[in-house]
Amino acid sequence: QVHLVESGGGLVQAGGSLRLSCAASGDTPCITTVAWYRQAPGKERELVAVITSLGEINYTDSVKGRFAISRDIPKNTHSLQMNSLKPEDTAVYYCNAGGLFCPLDYYWGQGTQVTVSS
């Protein structure tokens, strides 16, 4: 199994920045794709950013130009740098990882709260 742990959430003023980190352990060699999701109250969980083992990156439109996903494969970590934060970015953020040959198709961290005040 793969285990994921997020860190870096907190309270920040609008316009500020936070950096979220995700540490993976366990069957990490099976991982090909890592991502960040978020879920705000009353809304469905949405994909924020994803990066594959080939270096392909995609962002949801609302964070383009403000957020950046990165990955350190040797350290089994991936991060989400969040700049120019807006109140609408407030959500629980979850790291995600998966691969075709992992025991499960994908894995989730426990979530970390990001709150952006106005």
Side-chain angles (χ1 to χ4, degrees), residues 14 19 27-29 31 34 42 47 49 51 60 63 71 79 110 115:
R19 185 176 180 87
D27 297 329
T28 54
I31 296 171
V34 298
L47 176 65
I51 182 169
T60 190
V63 309
R71 185 180 188 182
S79 300
Q110 80 285 354
T115 302

Side-chain angles (χ1 to χ4, degrees), residues 19-39:
R19 185 176 180 87
L20 306 182
S21 296
C22 180
S25 61
D27 297 329
T28 54
C30 77
I31 296 171
T32 58
T33 300
V34 298
W36 288 95
Y37 287 74
R38 67 186 180 187
Q39 187 166 21

Side-chain angles (χ1 to χ4, degrees), residues 56-77:
E56 300 172 348
I57 297 174
N58 284 289
Y59 299 97
T60 190
D61 287 344
S62 63
V63 309
K64 288 180 179 177
R66 299 188 298 120
F67 291 10
I69 188 171
S70 60
R71 185 180 188 182
D72 189 332
I73 294 177
K75 294 184 178 179
N76 296 314
T77 62

Side-chain angles (χ1 to χ4, degrees), residues 1-2 27-32 97-107:
Q1 298 289 322
V2 174
D27 297 329
T28 54
C30 77
I31 296 171
T32 58
L100 287 176
F101 298 101
C102 291
L104 298 177
D105 288 344
Y106 51 85
Y107 299 87

